[in-house]
Amino acid sequence: MPAPPSPAAGDATPPPSPPAERQPVFVLRDLARTYTMGEVEVVALKDVDLDLYQGEFVVILGASGSGKSTLLNILGGMDTPSAGTIRYLDHELTNAGDTALTSFRREHVGFVFQFYNLIPSLTARENVQLVTEISEHPMDPVEALKLVGLGDRIDHFPAQLSGGEQQRVAIARAIAKQPDILLCDEPTGALDFRTGKLVLEVLDHINRVLGTTVAVITHNAAIAGMADRVIYISSGHITRVESNAHRISPAEIEW
Ligand code: ADP
Ligand code: MG
Protein backbone atom coordinates (compact mmCIF):
# COMPACT_ATOMS: atom_id res chain seq x y z
CA MET A 1 0.00 0.00 0.00
CA PRO A 2 1.48 3.38 -0.90
CA ALA A 3 1.80 5.71 2.06
CA PRO A 4 -0.59 8.65 1.98
CA PRO A 5 1.17 11.75 0.67
CA SER A 6 2.72 13.73 3.48
CA PRO A 7 2.18 17.46 3.40
CA ALA A 8 5.08 19.22 1.70
CA ALA A 9 6.98 21.88 3.58
CA GLY A 10 5.48 25.26 2.85
CA ASP A 11 1.91 23.95 2.63
CA ALA A 12 -0.63 25.98 4.51
CA THR A 13 -0.67 24.89 8.15
CA PRO A 14 -3.93 23.16 9.04
CA PRO A 15 -6.01 24.67 11.84
CA PRO A 16 -4.81 23.57 15.29
CA SER A 17 -5.76 19.95 15.97
CA PRO A 18 -9.28 19.75 14.57
CA PRO A 19 -11.22 16.85 16.02
CA ALA A 20 -10.50 13.84 13.81
CA GLU A 21 -12.71 13.24 10.77
CA ARG A 22 -14.94 16.19 11.46
CA GLN A 23 -15.79 18.76 8.86
CA PRO A 24 -15.72 22.46 9.55
CA VAL A 25 -19.21 23.85 9.66
CA PHE A 26 -18.20 27.48 10.09
CA VAL A 27 -15.30 29.01 8.19
CA LEU A 28 -14.36 32.60 9.09
CA ARG A 29 -11.54 34.36 7.26
CA ASP A 30 -9.92 37.70 7.95
CA LEU A 31 -13.11 38.78 9.61
CA ALA A 32 -13.54 42.21 11.18
CA ARG A 33 -16.37 44.11 12.82
CA THR A 34 -16.15 47.81 13.50
CA TYR A 35 -18.79 49.94 15.16
CA THR A 36 -18.97 53.57 14.16
CA MET A 37 -20.03 55.85 16.99
CA GLY A 38 -20.17 59.35 15.55
CA GLU A 39 -16.55 60.22 14.84
CA VAL A 40 -15.18 57.24 16.75
CA GLU A 41 -14.52 53.79 15.32
CA VAL A 42 -14.59 50.90 17.78
CA VAL A 43 -12.79 47.82 16.46
CA ALA A 44 -14.65 44.93 18.10
CA LEU A 45 -13.09 42.16 15.97
CA LYS A 46 -10.10 42.15 13.66
CA ASP A 47 -8.16 39.54 11.63
CA VAL A 48 -10.33 36.69 12.87
CA ASP A 49 -9.62 33.33 11.21
CA LEU A 50 -11.60 30.50 12.71
CA ASP A 51 -12.99 27.08 11.81
CA LEU A 52 -15.63 25.39 13.93
CA TYR A 53 -16.19 21.66 13.54
CA GLN A 54 -19.30 19.55 13.46
CA GLY A 55 -20.17 18.21 16.88
CA GLU A 56 -17.40 19.89 18.86
CA PHE A 57 -17.77 21.73 22.14
CA VAL A 58 -15.83 25.01 22.08
CA VAL A 59 -15.33 27.55 24.80
CA ILE A 60 -14.59 31.10 23.66
CA LEU A 61 -12.72 32.73 26.51
CA GLY A 62 -11.92 36.40 26.94
CA ALA A 63 -12.24 39.40 29.23
CA SER A 64 -15.19 41.74 29.16
CA GLY A 65 -15.11 43.89 26.01
CA SER A 66 -12.81 41.51 24.11
CA GLY A 67 -15.34 40.91 21.31
CA LYS A 68 -16.95 37.62 22.37
CA SER A 69 -20.57 38.67 21.95
CA THR A 70 -19.78 40.36 18.65
CA LEU A 71 -18.29 37.09 17.41
CA LEU A 72 -21.24 35.05 18.66
CA ASN A 73 -23.73 37.45 17.05
CA ILE A 74 -21.96 37.08 13.71
CA LEU A 75 -21.83 33.26 14.02
CA GLY A 76 -25.55 33.27 14.78
CA GLY A 77 -26.54 35.45 11.85
CA MET A 78 -27.65 38.31 14.09
CA ASP A 79 -24.96 40.59 12.70
CA THR A 80 -22.68 40.68 9.66
CA PRO A 81 -18.97 41.46 9.47
CA SER A 82 -17.57 44.81 8.33
CA ALA A 83 -14.86 42.95 6.40
CA GLY A 84 -13.77 39.39 5.70
CA THR A 85 -15.92 36.32 5.11
CA ILE A 86 -18.07 33.87 7.03
CA ARG A 87 -19.54 30.69 5.61
CA TYR A 88 -21.74 28.07 7.26
CA LEU A 89 -21.60 24.84 5.21
CA ASP A 90 -22.92 26.03 1.84
CA HIS A 91 -24.53 29.18 3.25
CA GLU A 92 -22.52 32.27 2.39
CA LEU A 93 -23.35 34.54 5.33
CA THR A 94 -20.91 37.35 4.55
CA ASN A 95 -23.28 39.60 2.63
CA ALA A 96 -26.51 37.76 3.33
CA GLY A 97 -29.64 39.89 3.55
CA ASP A 98 -32.14 39.87 6.39
CA THR A 99 -34.33 37.17 4.84
CA ALA A 100 -31.44 34.77 4.33
CA LEU A 101 -30.07 35.45 7.82
CA THR A 102 -33.47 34.93 9.40
CA SER A 103 -33.94 31.57 7.72
CA PHE A 104 -30.36 30.58 8.63
CA ARG A 105 -31.08 31.37 12.28
CA ARG A 106 -34.44 29.61 12.23
CA GLU A 107 -33.18 26.43 10.64
CA HIS A 108 -29.76 26.03 12.17
CA VAL A 109 -29.08 28.06 15.33
CA GLY A 110 -30.20 27.83 18.94
CA PHE A 111 -29.32 30.69 21.31
CA VAL A 112 -28.87 30.73 25.07
CA PHE A 113 -28.17 34.05 26.80
CA GLN A 114 -27.17 35.11 30.30
CA PHE A 115 -30.74 36.11 31.10
CA TYR A 116 -33.30 33.49 30.28
CA ASN A 117 -35.97 35.63 28.57
CA LEU A 118 -38.79 33.27 29.44
CA ILE A 119 -42.40 34.47 29.18
CA PRO A 120 -43.52 34.74 32.85
CA SER A 121 -47.18 33.91 32.13
CA LEU A 122 -46.34 30.65 30.32
CA THR A 123 -45.31 27.33 31.86
CA ALA A 124 -42.00 25.66 31.05
CA ARG A 125 -43.75 23.48 28.46
CA GLU A 126 -45.53 26.46 26.89
CA ASN A 127 -42.32 28.47 26.71
CA VAL A 128 -40.74 25.62 24.74
CA GLN A 129 -43.87 25.21 22.60
CA LEU A 130 -43.54 28.80 21.39
CA VAL A 131 -40.53 27.63 19.43
CA THR A 132 -41.63 24.13 18.44
CA GLU A 133 -44.82 25.52 16.87
CA ILE A 134 -42.81 27.50 14.32
CA SER A 135 -40.07 24.92 13.71
CA GLU A 136 -39.84 22.49 10.83
CA HIS A 137 -38.46 19.46 12.68
CA PRO A 138 -39.15 20.11 16.35
CA MET A 139 -38.62 17.81 19.26
CA ASP A 140 -41.54 17.10 21.56
CA PRO A 141 -41.38 19.95 24.16
CA VAL A 142 -41.64 17.43 27.02
CA GLU A 143 -38.72 15.45 25.56
CA ALA A 144 -36.66 18.65 25.39
CA LEU A 145 -37.48 19.41 29.04
CA LYS A 146 -36.58 15.85 30.04
CA LEU A 147 -33.21 16.22 28.28
CA VAL A 148 -32.36 19.19 30.51
CA GLY A 149 -33.48 17.31 33.63
CA LEU A 150 -36.79 19.12 34.09
CA GLY A 151 -39.21 16.28 33.34
CA ASP A 152 -40.84 16.93 36.70
CA ARG A 153 -41.17 20.69 36.20
CA ILE A 154 -43.02 20.92 32.88
CA ASP A 155 -46.09 22.69 34.25
CA HIS A 156 -44.19 25.13 36.45
CA PHE A 157 -44.15 28.85 35.70
CA PRO A 158 -40.77 30.65 35.58
CA ALA A 159 -41.42 32.28 38.98
CA GLN A 160 -41.76 28.79 40.47
CA LEU A 161 -38.31 27.78 39.19
CA SER A 162 -34.80 28.61 40.41
CA GLY A 163 -32.45 30.64 38.20
CA GLY A 164 -30.64 27.49 37.11
CA GLU A 165 -33.91 25.75 36.30
CA GLN A 166 -35.07 28.74 34.28
CA GLN A 167 -31.82 28.62 32.34
CA ARG A 168 -32.43 24.92 31.69
CA VAL A 169 -35.89 25.79 30.31
CA ALA A 170 -34.15 28.32 28.06
CA ILE A 171 -31.78 25.56 26.91
CA ALA A 172 -34.73 23.21 26.28
CA ARG A 173 -36.34 25.97 24.21
CA ALA A 174 -33.12 26.46 22.24
CA ILE A 175 -32.62 22.75 21.45
CA ALA A 176 -36.29 21.91 20.82
CA LYS A 177 -36.07 23.01 17.22
CA GLN A 178 -33.09 20.63 16.83
CA PRO A 179 -30.54 23.24 15.79
CA ASP A 180 -27.17 22.21 14.33
CA ILE A 181 -25.37 24.64 16.59
CA LEU A 182 -26.08 25.98 20.04
CA LEU A 183 -24.56 29.41 20.78
CA CYS A 184 -24.41 30.33 24.45
CA ASP A 185 -23.42 33.82 25.62
CA GLU A 186 -22.31 33.72 29.28
CA PRO A 187 -24.94 31.06 30.11
CA THR A 188 -23.81 30.82 33.74
CA GLY A 189 -23.17 34.55 34.17
CA ALA A 190 -26.17 35.12 36.42
CA LEU A 191 -25.87 31.88 38.37
CA ASP A 192 -24.06 30.78 41.49
CA PHE A 193 -21.29 28.23 41.23
CA ARG A 194 -23.34 25.12 42.00
CA THR A 195 -26.27 25.97 39.71
CA GLY A 196 -23.88 27.15 37.01
CA LYS A 197 -22.23 23.73 37.00
CA LEU A 198 -25.61 22.03 36.55
CA VAL A 199 -26.27 24.21 33.51
CA LEU A 200 -22.84 23.32 32.08
CA GLU A 201 -23.59 19.64 32.68
CA VAL A 202 -26.78 20.05 30.64
CA LEU A 203 -24.85 21.68 27.77
CA ASP A 204 -22.27 18.87 27.90
CA HIS A 205 -25.07 16.28 27.87
CA ILE A 206 -26.81 17.91 24.88
CA ASN A 207 -23.53 17.97 22.95
CA ARG A 208 -22.83 14.30 23.70
CA VAL A 209 -26.36 12.92 23.25
CA LEU A 210 -27.63 15.00 20.32
CA GLY A 211 -24.26 15.76 18.70
CA THR A 212 -25.15 19.45 18.57
CA THR A 213 -22.14 21.69 17.98
CA VAL A 214 -21.90 23.91 21.08
CA ALA A 215 -20.07 27.21 21.52
CA VAL A 216 -20.01 28.70 25.02
CA ILE A 217 -18.76 32.22 25.54
CA THR A 218 -17.37 33.04 28.95
CA HIS A 219 -14.93 35.20 30.86
CA ASN A 220 -14.56 32.35 33.38
CA ALA A 221 -11.33 30.46 32.64
CA ALA A 222 -12.38 27.55 34.87
CA ILE A 223 -14.91 26.47 32.22
CA ALA A 224 -12.19 25.90 29.59
CA GLY A 225 -11.44 22.33 30.72
CA MET A 226 -14.83 20.97 29.64
CA ALA A 227 -14.28 21.95 25.99
CA ASP A 228 -12.81 20.06 23.05
CA ARG A 229 -11.16 23.34 22.05
CA VAL A 230 -10.63 26.65 23.78
CA ILE A 231 -10.52 29.82 21.69
CA TYR A 232 -8.81 32.71 23.48
CA ILE A 233 -9.89 36.18 22.42
CA SER A 234 -8.33 39.45 23.52
CA SER A 235 -8.98 42.98 22.20
CA GLY A 236 -10.86 41.62 19.19
CA HIS A 237 -8.16 39.12 18.19
CA ILE A 238 -8.01 35.37 18.51
CA THR A 239 -4.73 35.01 20.33
CA ARG A 240 -4.62 31.24 20.80
CA VAL A 241 -6.58 28.06 20.14
CA GLU A 242 -5.96 25.05 22.35
CA SER A 243 -7.25 21.49 22.13
CA ASN A 244 -7.92 19.57 25.31
CA ALA A 245 -6.75 15.97 25.20
CA HIS A 246 -9.54 15.13 27.65
CA ARG A 247 -12.72 17.02 28.39
CA ILE A 248 -13.20 17.27 32.12
CA SER A 249 -16.69 16.76 33.44
CA PRO A 250 -18.39 20.02 34.47
CA ALA A 251 -18.87 18.38 37.89
CA GLU A 252 -15.08 18.56 38.36
CA ILE A 253 -14.85 22.26 37.58
CA GLU A 254 -13.95 24.57 40.46
CA TRP A 255 -14.28 28.33 40.47
P1 ADP B 1 -17.61 40.98 25.12
O1 ADP B 1 -18.84 40.20 24.77
O2 ADP B 1 -16.35 40.17 25.05
O3 ADP B 1 -17.74 41.66 26.45
P2 ADP B 1 -18.44 42.73 22.95
O4 ADP B 1 -18.38 41.92 21.71
O5 ADP B 1 -19.77 42.98 23.55
O6 ADP B 1 -17.41 42.13 24.02
O7 ADP B 1 -17.78 44.16 22.66
C1 ADP B 1 -16.53 44.32 21.99
C2 ADP B 1 -16.23 45.81 21.83
O8 ADP B 1 -17.17 46.38 20.92
C3 ADP B 1 -16.35 46.61 23.11
O9 ADP B 1 -15.37 47.61 23.08
C4 ADP B 1 -17.75 47.19 23.03
O10 ADP B 1 -17.82 48.39 23.75
C5 ADP B 1 -17.92 47.41 21.54
N1 ADP B 1 -19.34 47.26 21.12
C6 ADP B 1 -20.11 46.14 21.22
N2 ADP B 1 -21.33 46.35 20.72
C7 ADP B 1 -21.35 47.62 20.28
C8 ADP B 1 -22.33 48.45 19.64
N3 ADP B 1 -23.55 47.97 19.34
N4 ADP B 1 -22.00 49.72 19.35
C9 ADP B 1 -20.76 50.20 19.63
N5 ADP B 1 -19.79 49.49 20.21
C10 ADP B 1 -20.07 48.21 20.54
MG1 MG C 1 -20.52 39.83 25.87
Side-chain angles (χ1 to χ4, degrees):
M1 287 273 288
S6 59
D11 274 7
T13 317
S17 315
E21 295 179 34
R22 289 180 180 169
Q23 294 303 309
V25 281
F26 278 103
V27 178
L28 284 62
R29 290 293 177 267
D30 217 7
L31 186 133
R33 177 69 168 95
T34 352
Y35 296 106
T36 309
M37 309 280 290
E39 308 267 287
V40 183
E41 288 230 313
V42 177
V43 179
L45 290 176
K46 199 171 185 330
D47 303 327
V48 169
D49 290 319
L50 181 65
D51 290 349
L52 295 183
Y53 292 85
Q54 177 66 51
E56 70 174 337
F57 195 118
V58 297
V59 162
I60 300 173
L61 185 62
S64 176
S66 57
K68 303 183 299 297
S69 295
T70 302
L71 177 59
L72 187 106
N73 290 343
I74 291 174
L75 287 170
M78 292 196 290
D79 191 12
T80 47
S82 313
T85 59
I86 172 167
R87 183 164 54 76
Y88 174 80
L89 297 176
D90 55 356
H91 300 258
E92 188 55 65
L93 300 178
T94 309
N95 296 311
D98 285 346
T99 314
L101 287 177
T102 301
S103 72
F104 164 68
R105 284 196 304 269
R106 276 222 183 125
E107 288 165 31
H108 301 288
V109 190
F111 292 99
V112 176
F113 297 102
Q114 178 172 355
F115 300 104
Y116 331 117
N117 306 317
L118 302 178
I119 311 280
S121 59
L122 300 180
T123 63
R125 185 212 310 253
E126 290 164 345
N127 267 283
V128 176
Q129 270 170 351
L130 281 183
V131 168
T132 57
E133 278 166 10
I134 58 165
S135 305
E136 275 186 46
H137 310 289
M139 214 182 268
D140 172 23
V142 174
E143 278 310 305
L145 286 162
K146 283 184 181 163
L147 265 170
V148 301
L150 291 178
D152 56 352
R153 296 284 194 281
I154 53 176
D155 293 320
H156 284 54
F157 290 94
Q160 299 170 321
L161 298 169
S162 71
E165 287 168 344
Q166 290 183 55
Q167 186 62 299
R168 280 146 68 191
V169 176
I171 295 170
R173 181 181 56 186
I175 59 164
K177 67 176 178 184
Q178 311 217 57
D180 302 328
I181 180 155
L182 190 56
L183 299 175
C184 313
D185 195 343
E186 305 270 5
T188 63
L191 300 172
D192 64 74
F193 166 70
R194 196 182 56 83
T195 338
K197 287 211 304 195
L198 282 177
V199 164
L200 295 175
E201 279 177 37
V202 165
L203 293 174
D204 185 74
H205 181 69
I206 298 299
N207 169 256
R208 290 178 190 277
V209 171
L210 302 180
T212 314
T213 308
V214 178
V216 173
I217 276 184
T218 183
H219 62 270
N220 182 353
I223 293 175
M226 69 176 287
D228 291 307
R229 289 195 305 151
V230 190
I231 295 153
Y232 293 87
I233 180 166
S234 173
S235 305
H237 292 271
I238 292 178
T239 52
R240 198 154 45 106
V241 179
E242 281 177 4
S243 296
N244 287 328
H246 301 287
R247 275 164 65 167
I248 64 165
S249 152
E252 296 170 55
I253 294 175
E254 297 289 342
W255 75 77

